[in-house]
Each structure stands twice: as C-alpha cells, then as structure tokens.
Amino acid sequence: METKVFKSNEVAAAAKLIAAGELVAFPTETVYGLGADATNVAAVKQVYVAKGRPSDNPLIVHVADVATVERFAQPLSAAAQKLIKAFWPGPLTMIFNLQPGALAPEVTGGLTTAAFRNPNNEATLNLIREAHTPIVGPSANTSGKPSPTTAEHVLHDLNGKIAGILDDGATQVGVESTVLDMSGDQPAILRPGAVTAEAIEAVIGETVLTEQHHVGATEVPKAPGMKYKHYAPNAQVYIVDQPTDWPAALKWAASQSVPMGVMATDDILLNNQLPANCEQFSLGTDVKSASRELFAGLRHFDTETEIKDILCSAFENKGLGAAYMNRLNKSAGQTHFSV
C-alpha cells in the first residue's frame, strides 16, 4: 500500500479515504492520531492491525461537535456540559456511558463506555466534518513506541500500512490529552495531560480523583495508556530526578564504553560539560517545551541505533509536569538514575 501525505488544504481527499473505510493519520494539538470511521467495524479492526495494538485497549472517538457525542452517549451531566464549554476544542478527552449498542465493542474494548474528544486542530475538524463520521484516533505509531508529533514520525512507523497522513506540521502540546472518566459517581483522571485536575475542579466545583492511572493484568482498561507498555524507545531511559544529580549522571555516562543520549533543558546542557561519548537533545527551557519535545527526543535517539541508554530530565510531578512524568516514567519503565 502506498501511504499518501496530504497537506492541510487537501482535507477533502483525505476525508474520502476515511469515508471509504481506509486509515488516515491526522494531526491534533497533542499528537498525531490514526483515524478510521468509528462506525465502520472493519475499518476499526484495521487500526489494531496497523498499530499492533491489543484489542482490549479502547479507542478515543474524535468528534467535530457536541451533537455527535449526544448521538452515542447517555444524556450529558451538567458537569460534563460545563467542561465541554470550558475546554473543547482542546486536549481533554471525556469518558461517558453509552446508549445500548451505540458503538461496536471494537471501539470500546467491550465496555459500555467510550471516550470522546473534540481536538483543537482545524484541519482535523474539517476532516471529520467532510468524512461525515466521527473517527477513532489512537496515536499513529507502532503500539508501545513513543507517540508521533510530526507526520514524519507517522511515516516512519506506518508507511505502507495506512492509506494516508494529513500533515499539519509539528504538534504544539506534545503529550496526549487528559482522559477524564465522567461515567461514575466522581470524576477521575485516568491519564494526565495538559488540562489539569485543578483546572477541571475550578470549572465543576468538585474534587477530581487523580491516582487512577493503572489497571491489573486481567482488567479491561477504560482509557489508553493504563495497562500496556507505552512510549518506549529502543534504548533504556534513565530518569535524572534533580538538576543537582546531573554531574554524577554525566560522570557515569562518561565511564560507559558506548555512545549515550542526553535529554535535558537548556540550562542543564549549558551548565554541565557533556562527555565526548554523549549526544544531546534539548528539551527547551521549561516543562511546557519539554512536554512538546519529549517524544521527538526519544524518537531522535531511536534513529541513532548505537545509543543504548538515554539520560532524561525529570520535572516536578504537578500541573503539566504530571503528564510529562507519566509519559517519561512509562518510557523508562520507572527506571531512575541512582547517584
């Protein structure tokens, strides 16, 4: 299969492929998603095949308007309506109870709930409108690998496996959307993202559960990223917890007989002498830029096949830092550099 790359002014051609049951990757403000008609079971099944994704890992349904959510979900609560008004379009995914039989089990992982998102990207909103259907959209990468933040990343993983890619440049946020479960008695964040618990609580006036990110081996996850290995490059990632730990980390790196990768903010890169065997990748100046560049950095070192270990800066686990650390911990397998 030839994977065609469409520019943002070629949405109509990409939409025709979606409508015909083909797979087309699309941009959002967070990462690139792998799109298929959410009402076409055969197309949805091909998403799992193309990614190598476990079939019990549910998919997020991307919509262009609230009316589409209301076609499939149980009546939206007052709190959900407030959150939609405050954060859509944007990096907030919400899980709702479904009307019976509204979506196929291939979309929901066999659950009676589904996750919905209204992405903040005009090209993709136009894609959904012109395809006349909501589209599923897991990250457009090989399952378990770092999520794609450019069309080039998608092409690297899925070239020849999907019909097309809608290219709208690099994404702005860089880590996937916040996933908020609105199907139970109390809102719960199942995956942290750019929309924080504090921001959600300020809108709805109630406490949001935040330590809900994992499920057991025999449980079906309600959202992506809760159960399976995610975001891992070929190299082993070591998290450097504090800026003061970097001299020791770099001394250890210098003692290794192989090339090493270093992902850190500009101040750390400027204030520490990198050993000759280390290649650097800048995470910018703060947690916002680091979140945007994290997956790009991990993918960069995947192309440097001789690099087997990567040292990467941590951030405080709050606000956007909670999303960054969630992804970094998973990419590292919870492995931290020990002084």
Side-chain angles (χ1 to χ4, degrees):
M1 178 188 298
E2 178 186 358
T3 299
K4 181 173 176 56
V5 179
F6 300 95
K7 295 302 181 183
S8 56
N9 61 353
E10 299 176 302
V11 168
K16 285 181 180 179
L17 290 175
I18 292 284
E22 301 286 355
L23 307 188
V24 177
F26 60 90
T28 75
E29 74 279 29
T30 57
V31 301
Y32 273 71
L34 181 54
D37 180 350
T39 67
N40 183 329
V41 173
V44 171
K45 286 181 177 179
Q46 286 306 305
V47 169
Y48 289 96
V49 173
K51 282 178 58 68
R53 181 185 177 95
S55 60
D56 68 344
N57 202 4
L59 303 173
I60 294 173
V61 179
H62 291 68
V63 301
D65 51 53
V66 180
T68 304
V69 179
E70 294 172 336
R71 280 174 46 202
F72 299 101
Q74 298 281 355
L76 302 179
S77 66
Q81 293 177 35
K82 289 179 182 178
L83 291 169
I84 287 170
K85 184 177 181 180
F87 297 116
W88 279 13
L92 177 65
T93 294
M94 285 186 279
I95 296 174
F96 300 122
N97 291 304
L98 291 171
Q99 298 177 28
L103 287 169
E106 286 79 6
V107 175
T108 66
L111 300 171
T112 59
T113 58
F116 294 88
R117 173 152 123 81
N118 179 219
N120 190 14
N121 180 280
E122 196 59 34
T124 287
L125 292 175
N126 287 334
L127 176 71
I128 298 168
R129 294 181 189 113
E130 296 209 25
H132 303 291
T133 182
I135 59 177
V136 297
S139 55
N141 60 307
T142 300
S143 189
K145 287 299 181 182
S147 296
T149 56
T150 68
E152 290 76 16
H153 295 162
V154 181
L155 202 61
H156 177 272
D157 281 19
L158 300 180
N159 189 19
K161 297 181 180 180
I162 63 176
I165 304 168
L166 181 58
D167 184 358
D168 194 36
T171 65
Q172 298 304 304
V173 177
V175 292
E176 299 88 345
S177 61
T178 303
V179 176
L180 179 68
D181 187 3
M182 295 293 289
S183 66
D185 294 331
Q186 187 173 4
I189 290 179
L190 304 187
R191 182 178 73 187
V195 179
T196 65
E198 293 79 10
I200 293 167
E201 289 170 346
V203 170
I204 62 176
E206 59 180 299
T207 301
V208 174
L209 300 174
T210 57
E211 299 301 322
Q212 313 291 313
H213 306 162
H214 304 284
V215 297
T218 61
E219 295 179 82
V220 177
K222 294 181 77 173
M226 297 181 69
K227 181 177 180 180
Y228 297 99
K229 183 180 178 181
H230 276 71
Y231 320 122
N234 295 324
Q236 173 62 53
V237 177
Y238 294 88
I239 302 170
V240 181
D241 292 307
Q242 301 293 334
T244 52
D245 294 337
W246 272 102
L250 293 174
K251 182 178 180 180
W252 171 76
S255 72
Q256 305 304 301
S257 59
V258 294
M260 303 284 290
V262 173
M263 295 173 59
T265 49
D266 292 341
D267 59 330
I268 289 170
L269 296 175
L270 288 171
N271 293 326
N272 292 275
Q273 182 67 42
L274 260 65
N277 66 326
C278 288
E279 179 183 340
Q280 70 179 44
F281 185 94
S282 172
L283 293 175
T285 58
D286 54 21
V287 69
K288 184 176 180 180
S289 62
S291 297
R292 185 173 62 246
E293 298 296 335
L294 175 63
F295 291 143
L298 296 175
R299 282 183 167 271
H300 168 77
F301 286 119
D302 257 359
T303 67
E304 305 288 335
T305 54
E306 72 277 11
I307 290 179
K308 306 300 182 186
D309 298 289
I310 302 168
L311 295 166
C312 188
S313 289
F315 280 89
E316 188 175 1
N317 193 32
K318 70 175 186 179
L320 182 58
Y324 173 90
M325 291 305 300
N326 172 269
R327 299 343 184 255
L328 180 56
N329 271 301
K330 289 183 177 181
S331 72
Q334 308 288 333
T335 302
H336 294 249
F337 173 77
S338 179
V339 178

